[in-house]
Amino acid sequence: DQQVKQNSPSLSVQEGRISILNCDYTNSMFDYFLWYKKYPAEGPTFLISISSIKDKNEDGRFTVFLNKSAKHLSLHIVPSQPGDSAVYFCAASDPTGTASKLTFGTGTRLQVTL
Amino acid sequence: KAGVTQTPRYLIKTRGQQVTLSCSPISGHRSVSWYQQTPGQGLQFLFEYFSETQRNKGNFPGRFSGRQFSNSRSEMNVSTLELGDSALYLCASSFGGSQPQHFGDGTRLSIL
């Protein structure tokens, strides 16, 4: 049972435009959500997180939106840059597991073209 | 600031053998978690250690075990290796609580 789903395996966006990556979850106990970026042959790099008490969190070019009623979160990257090309994972944790027990989605490969 | 260090980066073993992977967390981090990444199952949580105690455990067989030392360094052991254990094993550390985890670059384990 995939509790965290990223239904788009890939996404292509032009440089300078907005990239929107989506993530859905089924476990209503999840209360902390994170996005990671992964380059080949490297470990995931933390990007941004959001607690379930918020519906938006911004950090520079990255904004995460959380819609608890729809069990949906999204990552917006504005403007997109070629260096953003990577695989993006969303992850979630619940209070019983602490934030150190993450459930990951399957990832979305973002390609930013010139 | 040094990141999470995992050794070795690559490892080749044969079925039935055992293997030990090592992880040195970021200085000051007391929580260390281990994950397995495979093409079919994605990133899956193995276990977490905090102050030398296993705090959380994923759905993996008992062949997978770990430990944490007083300096927060952690080791993961897999016994009686199977072909399906071929994967990228990732270690992540954090201060604990609601702090985000930071990952190492992983150990790629291949079973022949």
Side-chain angles (χ1 to χ4, degrees), chain A residues 25-76:
Chain A
Y25 61 96
T26 57
N27 188 343
S28 58
M29 293 295 292
F30 286 148
D31 67 345
Y32 183 58
F33 304 88
L34 308 91
W35 284 94
Y36 284 85
K37 175 173 73 173
K38 189 178 186 299
Y39 294 118
E42 294 183 11
T45 300
F46 169 72
L47 281 175
I48 192 168
S49 63
I50 187 167
S51 164
S52 60
I53 63 173
K54 294 185 172 182
D55 54 19
K56 178 183 174 181
N57 189 26
E58 276 183 273
D59 185 359
R61 297 187 297 115
F62 303 93
T63 303
V64 56
F65 295 92
L66 175 62
N67 182 333
K68 290 186 290 294
S69 61
K71 295 191 179 69
H72 177 84
L73 67 155
S74 61
L75 174 68
H76 292 209

Side-chain angles (χ1 to χ4, degrees), chain A residues 2 32 34 36 38 41-46 49 89 96-106, chain B residues 9 31 33 35 37 43 45 48 55-57 88 90 94 96-105:
Chain A
Q2 192 73 25
Y32 183 58
L34 308 91
Y36 284 85
K38 189 178 186 299
E42 294 183 11
T45 300
F46 169 72
S49 63
F89 292 94
T96 61
T98 78
S100 298
K101 179 184 178 183
L102 297 178
T103 300
F104 281 86
T106 51
Chain B
R9 287 295 310 275
S31 169
S33 296
Y35 294 83
Q37 185 179 25
L43 269 157
F45 174 79
E48 182 216 358
R55 193 160 67 167
N56 286 292
K57 191 176 189 305
L88 179 67
L90 291 159
S94 75
S98 294
Q99 297 301 309
Q101 292 182 296
H102 298 271
F103 284 81
D105 288 336

Side-chain angles (χ1 to χ4, degrees), chain B residues 10 13 29-30 32 52 54 65 70 75 86 91 94 96 105:
Chain B
Y10 302 92
K13 292 285 187 179
H29 286 187
R30 295 168 65 189
V32 174
E52 302 179 65
Q54 187 179 88
S65 63
S70 58
E75 287 182 348
S86 294
C91 167
S94 75
D105 288 336

Side-chain angles (χ1 to χ4, degrees), chain B residues 1-110:
Chain B
K1 183 177 181 182
V4 178
T5 304
Q6 291 188 246
T7 56
R9 287 295 310 275
Y10 302 92
L11 205 48
I12 299 175
K13 292 285 187 179
T14 56
R15 280 182 297 172
Q17 287 186 309
Q18 74 165 16
V19 67
T20 299
L21 312 182
S22 180
C23 173
S24 293
I26 291 171
S27 178
H29 286 187
R30 295 168 65 189
S31 169
V32 174
S33 296
W34 289 87
Y35 294 83
Q36 180 196 65
Q37 185 179 25
T38 59
Q41 299 297 320
L43 269 157
Q44 291 190 294
F45 174 79
L46 279 155
F47 31 66
E48 182 216 358
Y49 286 86
F50 185 88
S51 294
E52 302 179 65
T53 301
Q54 187 179 88
R55 193 160 67 167
N56 286 292
K57 191 176 189 305
N59 295 324
F60 280 82
R63 300 185 298 106
F64 292 82
S65 63
R67 60 177 176 168
Q68 187 180 33
F69 302 95
S70 58
N71 62 358
S72 293
R73 191 177 70 84
S74 177
E75 287 182 348
M76 187 191 103
N77 185 275
V78 188
S79 62
T80 319
L81 286 165
E82 301 177 359
L83 292 177
D85 297 334
S86 294
L88 179 67
Y89 290 89
L90 291 159
C91 167
S93 74
S94 75
F95 288 110
S98 294
Q99 297 301 309
Q101 292 182 296
H102 298 271
F103 284 81
D105 288 336
T107 293
R108 183 160 297 280
L109 175 63
S110 298

